[in-house]
Amino acid sequence: MKVNFIETDCKEPARTDVTFGICDNQNGSKAYTSITDPEKWIAKVTNNSELEITFTAIDNCIIIFKEGTKDKESTCDGMLTFPKSLYLVELKKQGTGGWLSDAKYQLENTIRLLYANHDLSGFRYKKAYACNKKHPNFTVINSAERKAFFEKTNGFRIDAQAKIVIKR
């Protein structure tokens, strides 16, 4: 069964704000963007070029079941799309533990599902962000892990930080 991640009711209207946040109330509701209440932001998006950016909630909005089961696929919280670019975002609020490996798994699985349902060749820049409110600054992912992620996901680069800078 085909799932459309691009044209869906889970897609918010495009925004051109220079700064906005991506929020997840962590209560089973879908992620969303906001220009108010930075305390709720898990990821901060900086869009100095004021490009039209669209956020699409994935987890708790686009529901995909594992083949032949009633078990829900593990997906990331959402994606940002803008000309020639697709950025996936996983939002966490965890102090310690395996938050980064959990986030990477959710991002990898979402990428697998995206490729199964869409031709992503129109996106020149593909990134995956693991964002953690409790670890907002850059978390080191070694070069071997980065390379493995890039190869496994057919061209997605990974970053672990809560600051997403939109580049033209």
Side-chain angles (χ1 to χ4, degrees):
M1 177 180 166
K2 285 283 189 193
V3 177
N4 194 333
F5 287 84
I6 310 297
E7 295 305 324
T8 171
D9 291 342
C10 299
K11 184 162 102 172
E12 294 182 359
R15 58 169 64 244
T16 57
D17 306 283
V18 170
T19 304
F20 63 92
I22 306 174
C23 312
D24 182 358
N25 295 338
Q26 312 263 320
N27 61 3
S29 61
K30 67 183 180 179
Y32 59 95
T33 60
S34 171
I35 57 171
T36 60
D37 204 2
E39 286 298 310
K40 288 188 174 184
W41 298 1
I42 297 175
K44 177 183 175 184
V45 179
T46 302
N47 177 21
N48 288 326
S49 298
E50 297 181 11
L51 296 173
E52 280 196 2
I53 300 172
T54 302
F55 177 77
T56 304
I58 297 174
D59 192 30
N60 297 314
C61 197
I62 299 174
I63 308 300
I64 307 163
F65 295 101
K66 293 179 182 176
E67 195 170 324
T69 73
K70 292 185 180 179
D71 297 331
K72 194 172 144 282
E73 287 278 7
S74 180
T75 56
C76 70
D77 290 297
M79 69 181 175
L80 297 167
T81 51
F82 52 101
K84 297 182 186 161
S85 302
L86 186 154
Y87 290 5
L88 293 172
V89 181
E90 173 55 25
L91 306 169
K92 298 287 188 194
K93 286 186 189 175
Q94 290 174 245
T96 58
W99 75 268
L100 185 54
S101 60
D102 290 348
K104 279 174 54 179
Y105 172 76
Q106 288 171 277
L107 290 161
E108 287 171 355
N109 201 47
T110 305
I111 292 164
R112 178 184 65 80
L113 294 166
L114 271 165
Y115 274 115
N117 290 282
H118 295 281
D119 173 7
L120 301 183
S121 62
F123 294 107
R124 183 169 176 203
Y125 304 102
K126 299 183 288 283
K127 288 190 88 170
Y129 282 89
C131 307
N132 189 335
K133 189 170 183 151
K134 303 229 176 180
H135 297 274
N137 298 321
F138 185 77
T139 299
V140 175
I141 300 175
N142 70 42
S143 60
E145 279 182 287
R146 284 182 187 282
K147 184 179 181 196
F149 188 91
F150 184 83
E151 290 171 356
K152 185 175 186 177
T153 61
N154 197 19
F156 275 81
R157 300 188 185 286
I158 187 161
D159 264 326
Q161 61 182 319
K163 293 177 184 162
I164 299 170
V165 178
I166 304 299
K167 295 180 181 168
R168 219 177 250 267

